[in-house]
């Protein structure tokens, strides 16, 4: 057995034993590696950072997708920025009421390799007639999108380095605000509150979004293979509050079977630990 090791902080590393590396390739944007392991199944990394694995991908993809639909069950048009593994699109497409999904992924190779090696997330996504996949820069796409053209934007990005950097800027969040309709919801990466570097990115992202959206909240989930396991998403909206406006009965009527998300957990996920609230300077709105 060999070991994949990721540096979580200057003094902490995370390792997974793997049987074989099944693919390694340098795209024009990043280094992509696929591995087979006993504990986590097939997993892939970008620039040697864990992205997706078969064992816990359902946690991330449930939590980036379903809280928005439980808050606004009438979502029809969805924009996914990033999400090249296909898992977020897979979950969105489970909603038969959704009419149009646009996924803008900068690196086509991520999607093509996921189709081949990680069908649990990518299989069937491209074939859905409601799906439009654009291999381009997400920031550029949003800048050129029409006003109020989407009900929901899901920013399924990497960390704010390399190709993901532009998706953590004030300019990007302002464009998202413009492109969302009057009940629009934005879900975006908020990193982790635990290690210093990630916590700083968390604070920066939340501060920027609070200055743009009238409703800006943060929710948490347990992601075992992301640094510290304690991971956050931001929930921002022009009009809908994730707790006050949750529509439990309407979401239940979708009849979706989920492995992580449920509406009780939805409410609990927004109840943050004190140290996280203090770091975010949360004046919940």
């Amino acid at each position: 057995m060999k070991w994949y090791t990721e540096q979580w902080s200057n003094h902490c590393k995370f390792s997974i034993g793997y049987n074989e590396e099944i693919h390694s390739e340098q795209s024009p944007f990043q280094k992509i590696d696929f591995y087979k392991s006993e504990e986590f199944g097939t997993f892939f990394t970008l620039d040697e950072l864990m992205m997706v694995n078969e064992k816990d991908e359902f946690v991330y993809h449930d939590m980036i997708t379903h809280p928005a639909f439980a808050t606004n069950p009438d979502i029809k048009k969805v924009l996914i920025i990033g999400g090249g593994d296909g898992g977020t699109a897979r979950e969105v497409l489970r909603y038969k009421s959704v009419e149009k999904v646009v996924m803008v992924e900068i690196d086509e190779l991520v999607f093509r390799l996921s189709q081949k090696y990680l069908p649990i997330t990518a299989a069937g996504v491209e074939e859905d007639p409601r799906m439009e996949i654009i291999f381009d820069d997400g920031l550029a796409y949003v800048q050129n999108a029409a006003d109020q053209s989407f009900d929901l934007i899901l920013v399924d990005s990497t960390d704010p380095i390399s190709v993901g950097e532009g998706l953590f800027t004030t300019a990007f969040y302002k464009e998202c605000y413009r492109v969302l309709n009057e009940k629009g919801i934005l879900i975006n990466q908020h990193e982790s509150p635990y290690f210093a570097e990630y916590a700083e990115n968390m604070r920066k992202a939340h501060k920027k979004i609070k200055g743009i959206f009238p409703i800006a909240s943060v929710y948490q989930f347990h992601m075992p293979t992301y640094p510290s396991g304690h991971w956050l998403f931001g929930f921002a909206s022009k009009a809908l509050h994730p707790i006050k406006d949750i529509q439990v009965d309407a979401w239940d009527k979708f009849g979706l079977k989920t492995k992580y998300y449920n509406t009780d957990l939805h409410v609990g996920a927004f109840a943050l630990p004190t140290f996280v609230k203090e770091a975010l300077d949360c004046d919940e709105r």
Side-chain angles (χ1 to χ4, degrees):
M1 184 170 62
K2 300 176 182 178
W3 290 90
Y4 159 78
T5 299
E6 183 175 316
Q7 192 92 28
W8 276 5
S9 77
N10 290 335
H11 305 283
C12 179
K13 292 182 178 181
F14 171 74
S15 293
I16 297 176
Y18 66 91
N19 300 326
E20 61 174 320
E21 183 171 13
I22 54 179
H23 191 90
S24 181
E25 189 168 348
Q26 178 70 47
S27 81
F29 304 99
Q30 55 209 337
K31 186 173 183 286
I32 309 170
D33 295 282
F34 280 78
Y35 302 86
K36 273 195 176 297
S37 74
E38 292 291 338
E39 186 66 45
F40 292 97
T42 299
F43 67 93
F44 87 89
T45 64
L46 295 178
D47 290 335
E48 300 180 349
L49 296 175
M50 168 65 77
M51 291 295 121
V52 181
N53 68 77
E54 288 184 294
K55 187 170 186 177
D56 69 17
E57 60 83 17
F58 71 92
V59 179
Y60 181 96
H61 293 126
D62 270 19
M63 291 303 283
I64 196 173
T65 304
H66 301 307
F69 280 90
T71 307
N72 180 12
D74 296 322
I75 289 169
K76 298 288 189 290
K77 295 181 180 179
V78 181
L79 172 62
I80 301 169
I81 304 292
D85 59 84
T88 298
R90 177 198 69 196
E91 289 303 303
V92 170
L93 291 167
R94 295 178 69 196
Y95 290 91
K96 303 305 181 188
S97 53
V98 167
E99 298 171 356
K100 180 72 175 177
V101 184
V102 179
M103 184 177 91
V104 186
E105 164 61 48
I106 197 167
D107 195 342
E108 181 174 2
L109 192 58
V110 170
F111 183 64
R112 298 304 173 202
L113 291 175
S114 295
Q115 286 179 309
K116 183 175 182 179
Y117 297 116
L118 209 63
I120 191 173
T121 58
V125 168
E126 190 173 28
E127 293 75 17
D128 193 298
R130 298 170 293 167
M131 193 77 207
E132 179 182 2
I133 302 177
I134 299 169
F135 297 110
D136 203 351
D137 177 62
L139 176 56
Y141 180 87
V142 173
Q143 287 171 334
N144 293 314
D147 291 357
Q148 299 194 17
S149 52
F150 287 96
D151 304 302
L152 172 63
I153 299 176
L154 302 174
V155 186
D156 185 359
S157 64
T158 57
D159 297 330
I161 53 176
S162 183
V163 295
E165 192 169 8
L167 304 181
F168 284 77
T169 64
T170 300
F172 174 70
Y173 298 139
K174 284 181 176 178
E175 291 292 347
C176 288
Y177 183 92
R178 179 185 61 80
V179 168
L180 286 166
N181 63 22
E182 62 276 2
K183 290 185 177 180
I185 295 172
L186 169 70
I187 306 293
N188 75 300
Q189 285 274 16
H190 260 55
E191 301 289 289
S192 169
Y194 197 74
F195 295 119
E197 181 182 352
Y198 292 94
E200 182 60 23
N201 289 329
M202 169 196 75
R203 283 189 290 269
K204 287 179 180 178
H206 190 56
K207 183 177 181 180
K208 291 170 185 175
I209 287 175
K210 279 206 307 182
I212 299 167
F213 284 83
I215 297 170
S217 296
V218 175
Y219 63 101
Q220 62 187 353
F221 56 102
H222 177 61
M223 193 66 191
T225 52
Y226 282 8
S228 82
H230 189 182
W231 211 251
L232 308 173
F233 282 130
F235 180 109
S237 179
K238 294 184 176 182
L240 297 175
H241 191 281
I243 304 301
K244 296 174 184 175
D245 294 312
I246 186 174
Q247 298 189 47
V248 174
D249 292 341
W251 189 82
D252 286 343
K253 286 179 181 177
F254 285 120
L256 299 183
K257 181 175 174 53
T258 52
K259 290 177 70 177
Y260 190 88
Y261 178 82
N262 58 64
T263 50
D264 289 334
L265 181 140
H266 174 119
V267 176
F270 286 89
L272 301 175
T274 302
F275 84 99
V276 181
K277 293 175 73 173
E278 290 176 349
L280 291 169
D281 188 25
C282 277
D283 51 342
E284 280 303 315
R285 302 187 265 145

